[in-house]
Amino acid sequence: MSPEAHRKLRAAIVDDEDLARQVLREYLAPHADIEIVAQCANGFEAVKAVAELKPDLVFLDIQMPKLDGFEVLELLDPAPAIIFVTAHDNHAIRAFEVHAVDYLLKPVGADRFEAALARVRERLEGRGELRSSPPPSAADLAAAARPPSQYLDRIPVREGTSVVIIPAAKLDYVEAQDDYVALVSQGKKHLKQQTISSLETALDPSRFLRIHRSYIVNLERVVRLEPYAKDSYVAVLADRVQLPVSRAGYSRLRAFLDR
Amino acid sequence: MHPILGQFRRMVLYLAAWIPLAALLARMMATTHAIGLREALALAFPLCFVYAFVCLSAWYPCRVTPLEHTTLSKFLATHGGGAIVATALWILAGRFLAMELAQLPSFPGLDRGYTAEIPILVGTGILFYLLSVAFYYILLGIEASRDAEARVLQASMLAREAELRALKAQVNPHFLFNSLNSISALTGSDPSKAREMCILLGDFLRRTLGLGERSAIPLGEELSLIHAFLAVEKIRYGSRLRMEESVDPQALQMSVLPLLLQPLVENAVAHGIANLVDGGCIRLDVSLRDGVLSIVVENTFDPEAPLRRRNGVGLANVRQRLEARYGNRAKFGAASDVTSFRVALEFPAEQEASVS
C-alpha cells in the first residue's frame, strides 16, 4: 500500500444554509478517515478555502450568494472531487458534464450519501493512473456544459485566493496566452485558465467576435479598422489599444461594421 | 383597411349593386321629359360608375367619427358636408359629361336637357351618399361587436390560464425539498425544533390546499399564509431573513386573488435574501385609500448576483392574474434601485361578499 492511502481525506462543505451543512457534518462524523477542513457559506469563501487548503473533496451547493456552485467549480484549479448537493434536480446533466463525482438531492439520505463517498474513494484512488494526459480545465468543462441558449453575462476570475467578477459588458477584449486567457477590462488584465475557443463559445456572438487566432474583441469597443501591412489590419479600440485582425477575422468584422 | 377597396370580389359585387341603381336613376331622369330614356341611360350609367367610387370615400369620415364618441352636431356637419361636396362634384361631372355627349350627333341638346335634371341628381346624390354612410356604420358596428367578442374570449382564456398556473405554482417543490432537508438536519441536533418545523410546514401546506378552487380570499388569510411560509423559511435562513410589515387593519377584510402575494414573498426570499451573505429584509406594506388597495413587497438584493429566470415568470404570472381579474383598474409595477427590488400592486378594494 502506498503511504497516500493512509492519508486522511480532506473535505470542505459549501452551503449557505447552516442546517444543510449540519446534515453533511453529521453524515461525515462516523468516517474517521475524513477530515472536514473548511465550511463555507458562500462562493467567495469556498474559492478562497479551496485555494488555501486544497481539500480532496468538496460538497458543493448550487444556489448560493456571490457565486453559484458551477462558477465556484470553474475557479478551482486543480479541481478537487466534487459532490453537488442541491434541492434542484435540473442541473444534474450539467453537473456530470463538469465531471462531478456525484449529485445528491436534498433531503439527502444516509445510504445515498455513503454511495457518493464510495464513488469519491474510487475516483481518488484511480487518479494517479489517469494522469497520463492533462485533464481539461474546469472552466473549459463548465463552458462546454453551458446551456446553448444562455451566454455568459459575467465571468468570475480567481486572483490568488479572492474572486473578481467581470461583467461581460465591461470586458474589452480577450487575449490567448498559452493555456490561459487574459481578460482585459477597464485597462486591467485578469488571467484565467481556459482556452480562448471555449470562452468564445460561451460569449454572446452578437457582442463578441473572434478577430484573430489569439483575440476576441467586444464589438462595442471597436472604433475603427486600420490597414497595417499588405493584406492585414488592426482594430483600434476606444482606449487606442490596437489588436491584430486576421484575414478571416477581417471579413467577419467587416460584415458586422457594415450592418 | 377599407372594407371594399382592395378586395377584388367585394369590389365587383359592389359595382354590380350599382347597376340597378343606375337603371332606377335613368328611369327617374326620363320622367321629367326634358330628356328621353335613351339619353337618361347614357348619362346615368357613367355617372353612377363615377359616383360608386366617390361613395367609397365615405368610409374614411365614418371611421374617424365613430357613433358612440361623436356629438350630434359634429356628426351632422361631417356627413352633411361630405354629402354636399360629393354631390356638387357629381353634378359638375354630369354637366361635363352632358356637354361632351351633346357634341355627338346622336345626343343633340343634351346639355340643355341636363339642367332640368339637376334637382333629381342633387336629391339622389345626397341620398346615395348618406346610404353609403349608413352602410359603413353597419359594417363598423359588426366589426366592433366581433372585436368585443374576441376580447371577452381572450380575457376569459387568460383568466383560466392564470388560474391553472396559480394552481400549479401553489407550492414550489424546491421550497419543500429544502425544508425537508432542514428538518432532517434538526432531527439529529434539535428534535423539538424539528417537530416545530414539521408543524409549521404542515400549517403552511394546509393553508394552501383548496385555495386554487376559490376565486378570492380575504387579505388577512393571504397574510397568514405568508406568515406561515416565512416561519418555515426563518428556520432555514435564521438571522439572514428579516421581515418588516405595515398593514392597514381595515384592509384585512378586503378580498384578493388567492396566492397573489405569496409568490412575490417567495421570490423576495429566493432572489433577494438567499443571495445575500448577511441576509436582508423583506418589507410588506398594505394600505387602503379611496377604495384602492395598494400593496408593496420590497426586498434587498445583491445587484451582482447572477440573474435567474424564474423570477420574471413569477412576476408575469401575478401581473396577468391581476389583469384578467380587474382589467385596466389594476396597476402593476416592478422596479429596482441599487440594492432593493420593489413590486407594487394596486387594485380596487372589494369586500369578499361581492366577489366570490
Side-chain angles (χ1 to χ4, degrees), chain A residues 34-94:
Chain A
I34 298 179
E35 182 192 357
I36 300 172
V37 293
Q39 296 190 47
C40 314
N42 65 67
F44 283 2
E45 274 179 41
V47 172
K48 185 168 155 44
V50 173
E52 282 173 354
L53 303 166
K54 306 253 184 271
D56 306 298
L57 165 64
V58 176
F59 293 94
L60 191 55
D61 186 11
I62 292 181
Q63 306 220 313
M64 286 184 296
K66 299 296 180 191
L67 292 175
D68 71 30
F70 289 102
E71 288 173 321
V72 169
L73 178 53
E74 237 179 87
L75 300 175
L76 304 183
D77 185 55
I82 298 287
I83 296 178
F84 282 109
V85 187
T86 175
H88 295 256
D89 55 6
N90 50 345
H91 301 299
I93 293 173
R94 218 181 134 194

Side-chain angles (χ1 to χ4, degrees), chain B residues 1-38:
Chain B
M1 259 298 284
H2 197 287
I4 294 169
L5 213 60
Q7 297 197 39
F8 182 74
R9 267 195 51 191
R10 288 189 184 182
M11 193 68 200
V12 170
L13 274 174
Y14 173 76
L15 289 179
W18 276 85
I19 293 173
L21 289 179
L24 197 68
L25 177 65
R27 183 74 196 81
M28 279 166 65
M29 285 165 85
T31 55
T32 59
H33 301 296
I35 55 175
L37 187 58
R38 195 175 58 93

Side-chain angles (χ1 to χ4, degrees), chain A residues 16-17 19 22-23 65 87 154, chain B residues 174 185 189 236 240 274-275 304:
Chain A
D16 62 321
E17 287 169 41
L19 289 170
Q22 194 180 308
V23 182
R154 56 184 219 157
Chain B
H174 299 119
S189 60
R236 258 180 79 198
R240 283 168 69 198
N275 285 331
E304 287 183 347

Side-chain angles (χ1 to χ4, degrees), chain B residues 33 40 42 50 66 69 77 83 97 108 130 140 194 246 264 290 304 316 322 347:
Chain B
H33 301 296
V50 170
H69 301 301
L97 179 67
L130 293 181
L140 281 171
S246 118
L264 297 179
D290 304 327
E304 287 183 347
L322 274 181
F347 51 90

Side-chain angles (χ1 to χ4, degrees), chain B residues 93-319:
Chain B
R95 171 148 210 93
F96 179 75
L97 179 67
M99 281 165 69
E100 288 297 312
L101 285 176
Q103 308 280 319
L104 299 174
S106 46
F107 298 109
L110 189 58
D111 48 345
R112 276 188 311 277
Y114 177 77
T115 318
E117 303 297 337
I118 287 179
I120 287 178
L121 286 174
V122 168
T124 45
I126 288 176
L127 185 73
F128 285 170
Y129 186 88
L130 293 181
L131 279 174
S132 319
V133 166
F135 173 69
Y136 288 129
Y137 273 120
I138 290 168
L139 279 186
L140 281 171
I142 292 169
E143 201 174 279
S145 76
R146 262 196 216 140
D147 274 4
E149 243 172 68
R151 258 204 306 279
V152 167
L153 206 67
Q154 204 181 3
S156 74
M157 256 167 55
L158 269 178
R160 178 97 23 104
E161 224 173 88
E163 263 169 48
L164 274 174
R165 232 174 295 156
L167 273 170
K168 266 202 274 180
Q170 262 190 15
V171 177
N172 180 352
H174 299 119
F175 161 71
L176 267 184
F177 295 140
N178 279 312
S179 301
L180 289 171
N181 197 49
S182 301
I183 292 173
S184 139
L186 287 167
T187 47
S189 60
D190 189 348
S192 65
K193 191 89 186 232
R195 177 177 298 164
E196 186 196 329
M197 193 162 176
C198 283
I199 292 165
L200 287 170
L201 191 58
D203 181 36
F204 171 72
L205 290 176
R206 189 167 299 114
R207 285 174 191 279
T208 61
L209 282 179
L211 276 188
E213 292 148 28
R214 290 163 69 187
S215 62
I217 59 171
L219 179 68
E221 208 177 319
E222 176 84 7
L223 289 184
S224 36
L225 184 85
I226 288 172
H227 295 151
F229 171 78
L230 286 171
V232 176
E233 292 287 63
K234 181 84 186 150
I235 294 180
R236 258 180 79 198
Y237 288 102
S239 59
R240 283 168 69 198
L241 175 57
R242 294 179 290 281
M243 178 81 198
E244 280 174 26
E245 201 178 89
S246 118
V247 177
D248 184 338
Q250 279 188 303
L252 294 176
Q253 296 310 312
M254 298 303 159
S255 66
V256 295
L257 294 165
L259 290 170
L260 184 73
L261 305 181
Q262 192 270 340
L264 297 179
V265 175
E266 191 176 314
N267 269 347
V269 175
H271 304 286
I273 309 306
N275 285 331
L276 290 160
V277 174
D278 299 316
C281 183
I282 298 177
R283 243 197 96 69
L284 177 69
D285 274 303
V286 178
S287 58
L288 180 62
R289 204 176 308 127
D290 304 327
V292 174
L293 202 53
S294 310
I295 300 172
V296 176
V297 179
E298 198 172 356
N299 64 273
T300 36
F301 79 107
D302 178 2
E304 287 183 347
L307 292 170
R308 290 182 199 153
R309 289 217 180 125
R310 231 186 95 82
N311 197 356
V313 178
L315 291 182
N317 191 8
V318 169
R319 190 173 55 81

